[in-house]
Each structure stands twice: as C-alpha cells, then as structure tokens.
C-alpha cells in the first residue's frame, strides 16, 4: 500500500543504512525488499570508488543513483562511507572534512526540496559486541568471507571511528534528512524500529493512510512488553525519535516573490563593438592555435573544463562553439545540445541530467544551453514554480562550487544582441533554405516575451556570477567580434589555470 501511494504521489525515497560493520545492514535491507514490489526499488551496495569514478567530482556517482519520482533507493552504505573512511584513515584534513560534510548537506537538501523523502539509519553496537560478531562469522566457513580487513581495522580503531562518526552525524543531521541512531544489539528490534520509522515518516508525508496505520499498529501490538521495554530503554539512552518531516524548505527571497523589472545589466552592454575582417582572420588563427595547445595541457594535467553558452535565440552560440572546437582534437571535447528534459532525465531532479554529462578529468564539456534553463525558460514559461526557480540560484552556485573544488575550469558566456538584430537574423533564416530549419515557432513566441527573458537573464547574472565561475557577457551584434571574445576569454582562463603556451 505504501509503495503504491508513493508511486501515485511521485515521491522519491532514499533509505540510507550506515553504521558499524557487523550490524547486519544487509539483513535489514533484505527484510524490507522482501516486503516490497521489486519493480519499484533499487538496492545500491556502495563500495570504495572505482578508478573510473575518481575521474569525476566525488558526489557524481551518487547523483547517478538517485531514484526517479515514485521509486525507492536503498543504500547499503552510501556517500557517508567514503568521507568517514577518508577521515579515519587521515586522508582528509579538517577543512576538507568540513567541506565534504557541507557538500552532503546541500546534496540532501536539494533532493528534499525536489520532494524526496530521505531517512538515514545509523546501526550502533559496542566494540566488544562487534568483536564477538566477527568471531562468530569467522568461525563458520560459509560466513567468514563477510569479515574484511577493513572491518578488523575498524574494530581495532573503534574509538577513532566513533569520534569521527559522531562528528559526521552531528554535522549532517537536518530536518529534511534526519539521522536515526538505533541500538543494533537485538536484530529483531532493529528491523522493527526501521519499519516503524519508515511507516511513520510515510504517514507524515502522504497523510493518514488507514492500511499503513493498521499495519504499523499491529506489528507493535504483537511485539509485547519486551519490545516496548527496549524502545523505552533506547529513549532513555538519548536516541532521538525521527522528527516531523517538512514538505520543503523555505525558498530564497529575491527582493519579492517575482522579479518583473530588468535590472539593467544587459541594457548597459555596448553592442556597437566590431572587428575588422583582416584582424578577425589573424586573431582567429592565433587563438585557435593556442587553444589547440591548451587542449593538450587539459589532457596532460588532467583538468576537467566546462564551457557554458547561454544567450538569445540567433545570438550566434552555435557559431562560437564551432570556432572553439574547430581546431581541437575531436577526442578532447564533447558538445551537449540541451533541450527540454525527456525520458529518465525528466523523472529526476533537474540537476541529474547535468551531473551525468560532466566531463572526466582531462576532457572539455561544452553546453549549448545548460542548467540555467531553470532560471530562464522554465521560469518565464512557468515550467518551474517560483519557489523552484528562486532556490535554483543557490543550488547552481553549490553545484558549480563543488565542480571547481574538484579542479574544474569554468567559462560561462551570455551572448547578447538587440531585439532589432534578432529580428533581422530571424528574417534572414527564413529566406535561406539551409538555415530555415533553425527557426521555429517557439523562437517567435519567445521573442514576444523579450522583457521577461531580459529580467530573468539579468537576475541570473546577478545571482550566479561568482569569483570561481563568473559570467562573461559577449557583445554579439557582430558575430565575428563575439567569436573572438569567446576564444580570447577561454584562452585566457585556461592559461591562468594551466600556464602560458607559446606558438
């Protein structure tokens, strides 16, 4: 009943099982999965990252595992395993540890804001209990393989791991993704407590579902005095019950619920700039040669590069991208032409489809349109509610900040033209057969909303131009001038990060 209600409500659910080795997390997960329709869930056993996964920001592999709307994802260990292991093995200093915890909080908040229900269980046993369980497992040839060298190391350094775990739970506990610490010395109690917590949380989210309430009540009515006594002991030991789950966080205030007036950023752009034909040809050859050499350095130095192109319809994004890629090694880059989400991209958080398109170390990813569609077309056309596009500024800044911390080099371009120049280019496209396909009814419809799009673009530049990922506004009335400015900006940015190159 619960699973069907989740599917109908399109609520994604993430259940995270962390805790000490030997607490039978797999047993609890198995009990859950046997009570659910397997078509509506996926179990993710999380191991240390493979070599291919280390080529991306550390949260990349977990973004790929988020459930679609109406589905459940059960994590046997999770993103917490990676940071806790790195901290206890002294692979993260205090600052990096704090940054990773902050990354987790923003990751979980973004999913919760999108409607996800997140429950996190820490299964707790003492050092002696863990040691005894290891001995029992090792004594049986059938189960001995379950005790790994890492598990033995954890027991030997129990105090160090416990200190780090307590700090981690404190830093990452939140109303939208709460931790529930469970005493796991009695496996039956652990299983029942997980079921009760899940049912209570789902009732809070879905409302009073009679069939769920009946199941939850009958389980604990039958448990008897011993079960209730163990629950009371847990409460007296300071284990917190799960708090009420909010439907979503408050949205970011941006000087009122709606921004309808342009901030004047784009209106102040000087669109009279031009470049002479002779200068264009000379500069184009020089900059493309430099960009080729810098593309080699991107590969040798293993730095990911992201180039974002936004701007008005017919502003020349395609032409600028062509000049950037023209002389690059074709194996060195990939161009993503972003349209409306479809398929699995439409069934998840809007940032999912961009996380899965990130470049690995040593490659350049070029986005012809991007995640900024959330605060541009989705805002103007009403595809995103005000609360959704308003909080997207912070989500995008967090997203880009995490990429930069990983070593990604960013360039973001807004190609700007006047309404008159856009009209001229539209009419030219209509009259040239090999260009006519570029012009659609949507282009004409968007043109009618120029003031709304200009206000949205102004706000986007204001709220998402950061020191680590600044916007470059490109005067694109003259296409050739725009192409040279884009190339010059990319070359300068890469040289600042990778070092100068000589022709």
């Amino acid at each position: 009943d619960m699973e069907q209600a989740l599917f109908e409500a399109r609520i994604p659910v993430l259940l995270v099982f962390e805790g000490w080795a030997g607490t039978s997390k797999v047993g609890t997960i198995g009990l859950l999965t046997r009570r659910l329709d397997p078509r509506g869930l996926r179990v993710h056993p999380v191991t240390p990252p493979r070599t291919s996964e280390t080529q991306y920001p550390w949260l990349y592999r977990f973004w790929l595992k988020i459930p679609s709307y109406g589905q459940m994802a059960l994590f046997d260990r999770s993103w917490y395993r990676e940071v806790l292991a790195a901290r206890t093995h002294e692979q993260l200093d205090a600052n990096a540890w704090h940054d990773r915890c902050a990354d987790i909080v923003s990751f979980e908040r973004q999913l919760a804001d999108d409607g996800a229900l997140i429950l996190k269980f820490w299964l707790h046993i003492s050092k002696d209990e863990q040691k005894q369980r290891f001995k029992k497992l090792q004594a049986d040839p059938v189960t001995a393989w379950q005790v790994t060298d890492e598990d033995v190391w954890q027991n030997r350094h129990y105090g160090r791991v416990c200190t780090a775990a307590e700090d981690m739970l404190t830093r990452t506990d939140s109303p939208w993704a709460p931790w529930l610490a469970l005493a796991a010395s009695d496996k039956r109690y652990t299983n029942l407590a997980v079921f009760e917590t899940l049912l209570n949380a789902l009732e809070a989210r879905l409302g009073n579902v009679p069939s769920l309430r009946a199941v939850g009540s009958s389980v604990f009515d039958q448990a008897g005095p011993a079960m209730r006594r163990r629950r009371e002991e847990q409460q007296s030991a300071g284990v917190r019950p799960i708090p009420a789950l909010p439907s979503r966080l408050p949205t970011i205030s941006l000087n009122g619920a709606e921004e309808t007036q342009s901030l004047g950023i784009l209106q102040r752009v000087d669109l009279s700039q031009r470049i002479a034909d002779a200068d264009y040809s000379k500069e184009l050859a020089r900059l493309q040669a430099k960009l080729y050499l810098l593309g080699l350095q991107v590969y040798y130095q293993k730095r990911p590069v992201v180039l974002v192109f936004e701007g008005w319809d017919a502003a020349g994004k395609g032409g600028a991208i062509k000049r950037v890629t023209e002389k690059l090694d074709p194996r060195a880059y990939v161009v993503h032409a972003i349209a409306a989400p479809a398929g699995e991209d439409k069934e998840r958080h809007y940032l999912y489809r961009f996380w899965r398109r990130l470049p690995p170390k040593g490659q350049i990813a070029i986005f012809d349109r991007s995640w900024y569609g959330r605060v541009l077309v989705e805002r103007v056309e009403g595809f995103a509610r005000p609360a959704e596009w308003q909080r997207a500024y912070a989500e995008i800044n967090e997203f880009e900040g995490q990429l930069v911390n990983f070593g990604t080099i960013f360039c973001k371009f807004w190609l700007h033209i006047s309404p008159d120049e856009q009209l001229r280019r539209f009419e030219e496209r209509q009259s040239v057969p090999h260009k006519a396909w570029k012009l659609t009814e949507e282009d004409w419809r968007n043109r009618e909303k120029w003031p709304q799009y200009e206000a949205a673009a102004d706000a986007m530049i204001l709220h998402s131009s950061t020191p680590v990922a600044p916007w470059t506004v490109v005067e694109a009335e003259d296409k050739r001038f725009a192409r040279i400015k884009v190339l010059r900006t990319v070359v300068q940015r890469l040289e600042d990060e990778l070092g100068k190159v000589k022709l």
Side-chain angles (χ1 to χ4, degrees), residues 283-316:
E283 272 294 276
L284 180 66
R286 184 183 74 84
L287 291 170
Q288 285 184 331
K290 274 200 164 190
L291 189 55
Y292 171 78
L293 295 176
L294 287 164
L296 295 178
Q297 288 303 311
V298 168
Y299 175 76
Y300 291 139
Q301 297 187 33
K302 301 300 179 188
R303 295 287 298 275
V305 178
V306 170
L307 308 181
V308 172
F309 287 84
E310 295 283 356
W312 298 104
D313 294 328

mmCIF file of all heavy atoms in Angstrom, residues 283-316:
data_model
loop_
_atom_site.group_PDB
_atom_site.id
_atom_site.type_symbol
_atom_site.label_atom_id
_atom_site.label_comp_id
_atom_site.label_asym_id
_atom_site.label_seq_id
_atom_site.Cartn_x
_atom_site.Cartn_y
_atom_site.Cartn_z
ATOM 1 N N GLU A 283 43.441 37.015 -35.752
ATOM 2 C CA GLU A 283 43.197 36.640 -34.355
ATOM 3 C C GLU A 283 42.597 35.243 -34.246
ATOM 4 O O GLU A 283 42.915 34.484 -33.339
ATOM 5 C CB GLU A 283 42.258 37.650 -33.692
ATOM 6 C CG GLU A 283 42.938 38.837 -33.059
ATOM 7 C CD GLU A 283 43.799 38.412 -31.869
ATOM 8 O OE1 GLU A 283 43.269 38.260 -30.753
ATOM 9 O OE2 GLU A 283 45.023 38.224 -32.079
ATOM 10 N N LEU A 284 41.706 34.910 -35.176
ATOM 11 C CA LEU A 284 41.091 33.585 -35.150
ATOM 12 C C LEU A 284 42.158 32.502 -35.263
ATOM 13 O O LEU A 284 42.157 31.525 -34.485
ATOM 14 C CB LEU A 284 40.078 33.455 -36.290
ATOM 15 C CG LEU A 284 39.344 32.111 -36.385
ATOM 16 C CD1 LEU A 284 38.439 31.906 -35.174
ATOM 17 C CD2 LEU A 284 38.542 32.024 -37.678
ATOM 18 N N ALA A 285 43.075 32.653 -36.198
ATOM 19 C CA ALA A 285 44.128 31.653 -36.383
ATOM 20 C C ALA A 285 45.020 31.567 -35.157
ATOM 21 O O ALA A 285 45.381 30.465 -34.701
ATOM 22 C CB ALA A 285 44.948 31.994 -37.621
ATOM 23 N N ARG A 286 45.382 32.721 -34.600
ATOM 24 C CA ARG A 286 46.279 32.726 -33.423
ATOM 25 C C ARG A 286 45.623 32.083 -32.212
ATOM 26 O O ARG A 286 46.220 31.234 -31.536
ATOM 27 C CB ARG A 286 46.689 34.167 -33.100
ATOM 28 C CG ARG A 286 47.711 34.280 -31.956
ATOM 29 C CD ARG A 286 48.008 35.737 -31.656
ATOM 30 N NE ARG A 286 46.912 36.377 -30.956
ATOM 31 C CZ ARG A 286 46.732 36.331 -29.638
ATOM 32 N NH1 ARG A 286 47.579 35.648 -28.871
ATOM 33 N NH2 ARG A 286 45.712 36.945 -29.081
ATOM 34 N N LEU A 287 44.380 32.466 -31.934
ATOM 35 C CA LEU A 287 43.695 31.955 -30.750
ATOM 36 C C LEU A 287 43.362 30.464 -30.888
ATOM 37 O O LEU A 287 43.450 29.714 -29.917
ATOM 38 C CB LEU A 287 42.423 32.765 -30.494
ATOM 39 C CG LEU A 287 42.643 34.212 -30.039
ATOM 40 C CD1 LEU A 287 41.334 34.987 -30.065
ATOM 41 C CD2 LEU A 287 43.260 34.255 -28.646
ATOM 42 N N GLN A 288 42.984 30.021 -32.068
ATOM 43 C CA GLN A 288 42.693 28.599 -32.250
ATOM 44 C C GLN A 288 43.951 27.748 -32.109
ATOM 45 O O GLN A 288 43.889 26.633 -31.577
ATOM 46 C CB GLN A 288 42.039 28.368 -33.616
ATOM 47 C CG GLN A 288 40.587 28.823 -33.669
ATOM 48 C CD GLN A 288 39.931 28.507 -35.005
ATOM 49 O OE1 GLN A 288 40.602 28.449 -36.047
ATOM 50 N NE2 GLN A 288 38.625 28.304 -34.988
ATOM 51 N N ALA A 289 45.086 28.285 -32.560
ATOM 52 C CA ALA A 289 46.346 27.559 -32.380
ATOM 53 C C ALA A 289 46.684 27.440 -30.896
ATOM 54 O O ALA A 289 47.105 26.381 -30.420
ATOM 55 C CB ALA A 289 47.467 28.263 -33.141
ATOM 56 N N LYS A 290 46.495 28.523 -30.163
ATOM 57 C CA LYS A 290 46.745 28.485 -28.714
ATOM 58 C C LYS A 290 45.790 27.523 -28.022
ATOM 59 O O LYS A 290 46.178 26.770 -27.114
ATOM 60 C CB LYS A 290 46.593 29.882 -28.113
ATOM 61 C CG LYS A 290 47.839 30.743 -28.169
ATOM 62 C CD LYS A 290 47.756 31.862 -27.159
ATOM 63 C CE LYS A 290 49.129 32.476 -26.918
ATOM 64 N NZ LYS A 290 49.153 33.398 -25.776
ATOM 65 N N LEU A 291 44.531 27.550 -28.452
ATOM 66 C CA LEU A 291 43.540 26.684 -27.825
ATOM 67 C C LEU A 291 43.859 25.218 -28.076
ATOM 68 O O LEU A 291 43.643 24.368 -27.202
ATOM 69 C CB LEU A 291 42.145 27.032 -28.353
ATOM 70 C CG LEU A 291 40.958 26.365 -27.648
ATOM 71 C CD1 LEU A 291 40.993 26.644 -26.150
ATOM 72 C CD2 LEU A 291 39.639 26.847 -28.232
ATOM 73 N N TYR A 292 44.415 24.904 -29.235
ATOM 74 C CA TYR A 292 44.823 23.525 -29.505
ATOM 75 C C TYR A 292 45.898 23.079 -28.516
ATOM 76 O O TYR A 292 45.816 21.979 -27.944
ATOM 77 C CB TYR A 292 45.348 23.404 -30.934
ATOM 78 C CG TYR A 292 45.978 22.061 -31.218
ATOM 79 C CD1 TYR A 292 45.197 20.938 -31.474
ATOM 80 C CD2 TYR A 292 47.367 21.910 -31.211
ATOM 81 C CE1 TYR A 292 45.770 19.703 -31.719
ATOM 82 C CE2 TYR A 292 47.952 20.672 -31.454
ATOM 83 C CZ TYR A 292 47.155 19.583 -31.700
ATOM 84 O OH TYR A 292 47.732 18.363 -31.929
ATOM 85 N N LEU A 293 46.901 23.928 -28.303
ATOM 86 C CA LEU A 293 47.969 23.588 -27.361
ATOM 87 C C LEU A 293 47.442 23.507 -25.934
ATOM 88 O O LEU A 293 47.848 22.636 -25.159
ATOM 89 C CB LEU A 293 49.083 24.632 -27.449
ATOM 90 C CG LEU A 293 49.835 24.705 -28.792
ATOM 91 C CD1 LEU A 293 50.841 25.851 -28.776
ATOM 92 C CD2 LEU A 293 50.519 23.382 -29.093
ATOM 93 N N LEU A 294 46.519 24.386 -25.589
ATOM 94 C CA LEU A 294 45.936 24.340 -24.244
ATOM 95 C C LEU A 294 45.066 23.106 -24.067
ATOM 96 O O LEU A 294 44.981 22.544 -22.967
ATOM 97 C CB LEU A 294 45.122 25.610 -23.988
ATOM 98 C CG LEU A 294 45.968 26.879 -23.766
ATOM 99 C CD1 LEU A 294 45.111 28.131 -23.900
ATOM 100 C CD2 LEU A 294 46.641 26.841 -22.397
ATOM 101 N N GLY A 295 44.416 22.659 -25.147
ATOM 102 C CA GLY A 295 43.652 21.420 -25.073
ATOM 103 C C GLY A 295 44.538 20.237 -24.727
ATOM 104 O O GLY A 295 44.133 19.339 -23.980
ATOM 105 N N LEU A 296 45.770 20.238 -25.230
ATOM 106 C CA LEU A 296 46.727 19.191 -24.863
ATOM 107 C C LEU A 296 47.074 19.278 -23.383
ATOM 108 O O LEU A 296 47.186 18.256 -22.695
ATOM 109 C CB LEU A 296 47.999 19.317 -25.709
ATOM 110 C CG LEU A 296 47.838 19.086 -27.214
ATOM 111 C CD1 LEU A 296 49.171 19.298 -27.929
ATOM 112 C CD2 LEU A 296 47.307 17.680 -27.490
ATOM 113 N N GLN A 297 47.230 20.499 -22.879
ATOM 114 C CA GLN A 297 47.543 20.671 -21.454
ATOM 115 C C GLN A 297 46.381 20.231 -20.565
ATOM 116 O O GLN A 297 46.593 19.695 -19.479
ATOM 117 C CB GLN A 297 47.909 22.138 -21.168
ATOM 118 C CG GLN A 297 49.262 22.556 -21.713
ATOM 119 C CD GLN A 297 50.378 21.681 -21.174
ATOM 120 O OE1 GLN A 297 50.483 21.448 -19.969
ATOM 121 N NE2 GLN A 297 51.225 21.196 -22.073
ATOM 122 N N VAL A 298 45.162 20.472 -21.020
ATOM 123 C CA VAL A 298 43.996 19.977 -20.279
ATOM 124 C C VAL A 298 44.111 18.470 -20.093
ATOM 125 O O VAL A 298 43.872 17.935 -18.999
ATOM 126 C CB VAL A 298 42.688 20.334 -21.022
ATOM 127 C CG1 VAL A 298 41.505 19.568 -20.430
ATOM 128 C CG2 VAL A 298 42.423 21.830 -20.953
ATOM 129 N N TYR A 299 44.509 17.779 -21.158
ATOM 130 C CA TYR A 299 44.648 16.318 -21.090
ATOM 131 C C TYR A 299 45.828 15.915 -20.207
ATOM 132 O O TYR A 299 45.690 15.050 -19.334
ATOM 133 C CB TYR A 299 44.822 15.753 -22.492
ATOM 134 C CG TYR A 299 45.093 14.271 -22.507
ATOM 135 C CD1 TYR A 299 44.060 13.352 -22.280
ATOM 136 C CD2 TYR A 299 46.380 13.783 -22.731
ATOM 137 C CE1 TYR A 299 44.305 11.996 -22.280
ATOM 138 C CE2 TYR A 299 46.631 12.414 -22.737
ATOM 139 C CZ TYR A 299 45.602 11.527 -22.511
ATOM 140 O OH TYR A 299 45.846 10.186 -22.501
ATOM 141 N N TYR A 300 46.973 16.546 -20.424
ATOM 142 C CA TYR A 300 48.175 16.162 -19.672
ATOM 143 C C TYR A 300 48.034 16.459 -18.184
ATOM 144 O O TYR A 300 48.486 15.685 -17.334
ATOM 145 C CB TYR A 300 49.405 16.891 -20.223
ATOM 146 C CG TYR A 300 49.820 16.454 -21.606
ATOM 147 C CD1 TYR A 300 50.237 17.374 -22.557
ATOM 148 C CD2 TYR A 300 49.778 15.102 -21.967
ATOM 149 C CE1 TYR A 300 50.611 16.972 -23.834
ATOM 150 C CE2 TYR A 300 50.146 14.695 -23.239
ATOM 151 C CZ TYR A 300 50.560 15.638 -24.169
ATOM 152 O OH TYR A 300 50.927 15.234 -25.429
ATOM 153 N N GLN A 301 47.407 17.590 -17.857
ATOM 154 C CA GLN A 301 47.269 17.981 -16.450
ATOM 155 C C GLN A 301 45.999 17.426 -15.802
ATOM 156 O O GLN A 301 45.731 17.681 -14.632
ATOM 157 C CB GLN A 301 47.305 19.506 -16.328
ATOM 158 C CG GLN A 301 48.619 20.121 -16.776
ATOM 159 C CD GLN A 301 48.706 21.612 -16.493
ATOM 160 O OE1 GLN A 301 48.149 22.108 -15.492
ATOM 161 N NE2 GLN A 301 49.403 22.346 -17.343
ATOM 162 N N LYS A 302 45.209 16.699 -16.579
ATOM 163 C CA LYS A 302 44.017 16.024 -16.055
ATOM 164 C C LYS A 302 43.061 16.997 -15.365
ATOM 165 O O LYS A 302 42.577 16.742 -14.263
ATOM 166 C CB LYS A 302 44.407 14.894 -15.094
ATOM 167 C CG LYS A 302 45.285 13.830 -15.720
ATOM 168 C CD LYS A 302 44.587 13.152 -16.895
ATOM 169 C CE LYS A 302 45.460 12.096 -17.553
ATOM 170 N NZ LYS A 302 44.860 11.563 -18.799
ATOM 171 N N ARG A 303 42.751 18.081 -16.060
ATOM 172 C CA ARG A 303 41.790 19.051 -15.542
ATOM 173 C C ARG A 303 40.510 19.004 -16.367
ATOM 174 O O ARG A 303 40.556 19.114 -17.589
ATOM 175 C CB ARG A 303 42.380 20.466 -15.596
ATOM 176 C CG ARG A 303 43.589 20.692 -14.712
ATOM 177 C CD ARG A 303 43.234 20.771 -13.253
ATOM 178 N NE ARG A 303 42.344 21.869 -12.943
ATOM 179 C CZ ARG A 303 42.774 23.124 -12.693
ATOM 180 N NH1 ARG A 303 44.073 23.414 -12.741
ATOM 181 N NH2 ARG A 303 41.909 24.069 -12.382
ATOM 182 N N PRO A 304 39.355 18.841 -15.744
ATOM 183 C CA PRO A 304 38.097 18.948 -16.482
ATOM 184 C C PRO A 304 37.776 20.410 -16.789
ATOM 185 O O PRO A 304 38.107 21.312 -16.002
ATOM 186 C CB PRO A 304 37.073 18.340 -15.529
ATOM 187 C CG PRO A 304 37.665 18.493 -14.166
ATOM 188 C CD PRO A 304 39.165 18.515 -14.322
ATOM 189 N N VAL A 305 37.152 20.644 -17.933
ATOM 190 C CA VAL A 305 36.795 22.000 -18.356
ATOM 191 C C VAL A 305 35.313 22.013 -18.732
ATOM 192 O O VAL A 305 34.832 21.108 -19.418
ATOM 193 C CB VAL A 305 37.649 22.458 -19.555
ATOM 194 C CG1 VAL A 305 37.224 23.850 -20.022
ATOM 195 C CG2 VAL A 305 39.127 22.448 -19.199
ATOM 196 N N VAL A 306 34.608 23.035 -18.285
ATOM 197 C CA VAL A 306 33.186 23.205 -18.627
ATOM 198 C C VAL A 306 33.007 24.595 -19.238
ATOM 199 O O VAL A 306 33.359 25.607 -18.620
ATOM 200 C CB VAL A 306 32.289 23.054 -17.382
ATOM 201 C CG1 VAL A 306 30.856 23.475 -17.706
ATOM 202 C CG2 VAL A 306 32.315 21.623 -16.870
ATOM 203 N N LEU A 307 32.468 24.619 -20.457
ATOM 204 C CA LEU A 307 32.130 25.870 -21.144
ATOM 205 C C LEU A 307 30.615 25.922 -21.303
ATOM 206 O O LEU A 307 30.016 25.001 -21.866
ATOM 207 C CB LEU A 307 32.794 25.947 -22.512
ATOM 208 C CG LEU A 307 34.310 25.708 -22.580
ATOM 209 C CD1 LEU A 307 34.804 25.855 -24.023
ATOM 210 C CD2 LEU A 307 35.057 26.649 -21.662
ATOM 211 N N VAL A 308 30.002 26.978 -20.803
ATOM 212 C CA VAL A 308 28.549 27.130 -20.833
ATOM 213 C C VAL A 308 28.193 28.276 -21.775
ATOM 214 O O VAL A 308 28.729 29.381 -21.640
ATOM 215 C CB VAL A 308 27.998 27.418 -19.420
ATOM 216 C CG1 VAL A 308 26.513 27.760 -19.480
ATOM 217 C CG2 VAL A 308 28.245 26.236 -18.501
ATOM 218 N N PHE A 309 27.287 27.998 -22.706
ATOM 219 C CA PHE A 309 26.829 29.024 -23.645
ATOM 220 C C PHE A 309 25.326 29.235 -23.477
ATOM 221 O O PHE A 309 24.527 28.320 -23.691
ATOM 222 C CB PHE A 309 27.134 28.604 -25.088
ATOM 223 C CG PHE A 309 28.587 28.688 -25.442
ATOM 224 C CD1 PHE A 309 29.438 27.638 -25.134
ATOM 225 C CD2 PHE A 309 29.115 29.815 -26.063
ATOM 226 C CE1 PHE A 309 30.783 27.697 -25.441
ATOM 227 C CE2 PHE A 309 30.464 29.886 -26.368
ATOM 228 C CZ PHE A 309 31.305 28.825 -26.057
ATOM 229 N N GLU A 310 24.982 30.441 -23.062
ATOM 230 C CA GLU A 310 23.597 30.873 -22.983
ATOM 231 C C GLU A 310 23.463 32.154 -23.801
ATOM 232 O O GLU A 310 24.464 32.768 -24.189
ATOM 233 C CB GLU A 310 23.165 31.116 -21.535
ATOM 234 C CG GLU A 310 23.148 29.883 -20.655
ATOM 235 C CD GLU A 310 21.939 28.987 -20.892
ATOM 236 O OE1 GLU A 310 21.060 29.383 -21.707
ATOM 237 O OE2 GLU A 310 21.868 27.919 -20.271
ATOM 238 N N GLY A 311 22.249 32.564 -24.059
ATOM 239 C CA GLY A 311 22.051 33.800 -24.813
ATOM 240 C C GLY A 311 20.752 33.775 -25.588
ATOM 241 O O GLY A 311 19.984 32.811 -25.550
ATOM 242 N N TRP A 312 20.525 34.854 -26.305
ATOM 243 C CA TRP A 312 19.288 34.993 -27.077
ATOM 244 C C TRP A 312 19.273 34.013 -28.250
ATOM 245 O O TRP A 312 20.323 33.617 -28.760
ATOM 246 C CB TRP A 312 19.152 36.422 -27.610
ATOM 247 C CG TRP A 312 19.075 37.449 -26.534
ATOM 248 C CD1 TRP A 312 20.063 38.304 -26.143
ATOM 249 C CD2 TRP A 312 17.949 37.718 -25.703
ATOM 250 N NE1 TRP A 312 19.625 39.096 -25.111
ATOM 251 C CE2 TRP A 312 18.333 38.773 -24.818
ATOM 252 C CE3 TRP A 312 16.662 37.200 -25.607
ATOM 253 C CZ2 TRP A 312 17.466 39.292 -23.862
ATOM 254 C CZ3 TRP A 312 15.791 37.726 -24.650
ATOM 255 C CH2 TRP A 312 16.196 38.755 -23.799
ATOM 256 N N ASP A 313 18.069 33.634 -28.677
ATOM 257 C CA ASP A 313 17.935 32.866 -29.908
ATOM 258 C C ASP A 313 18.569 33.655 -31.052
ATOM 259 O O ASP A 313 18.371 34.876 -31.171
ATOM 260 C CB ASP A 313 16.455 32.606 -30.224
ATOM 261 C CG ASP A 313 15.788 31.706 -29.184
ATOM 262 O OD1 ASP A 313 16.478 30.838 -28.633
ATOM 263 O OD2 ASP A 313 14.572 31.900 -28.924
ATOM 264 N N ALA A 314 19.350 32.960 -31.890
ATOM 265 C CA ALA A 314 20.049 33.547 -33.039
ATOM 266 C C ALA A 314 21.195 34.475 -32.639
ATOM 267 O O ALA A 314 21.672 35.266 -33.445
ATOM 268 C CB ALA A 314 19.072 34.296 -33.946
ATOM 269 N N ALA A 315 21.666 34.369 -31.407
ATOM 270 C CA ALA A 315 22.770 35.233 -30.962
ATOM 271 C C ALA A 315 24.130 34.720 -31.426
ATOM 272 O O ALA A 315 25.141 35.416 -31.267
ATOM 273 C CB ALA A 315 22.763 35.355 -29.438
ATOM 274 N N GLY A 316 24.189 33.506 -31.983
ATOM 275 C CA GLY A 316 25.448 33.004 -32.509
ATOM 276 C C GLY A 316 26.168 32.010 -31.620
ATOM 277 O O GLY A 316 27.386 31.838 -31.736
#
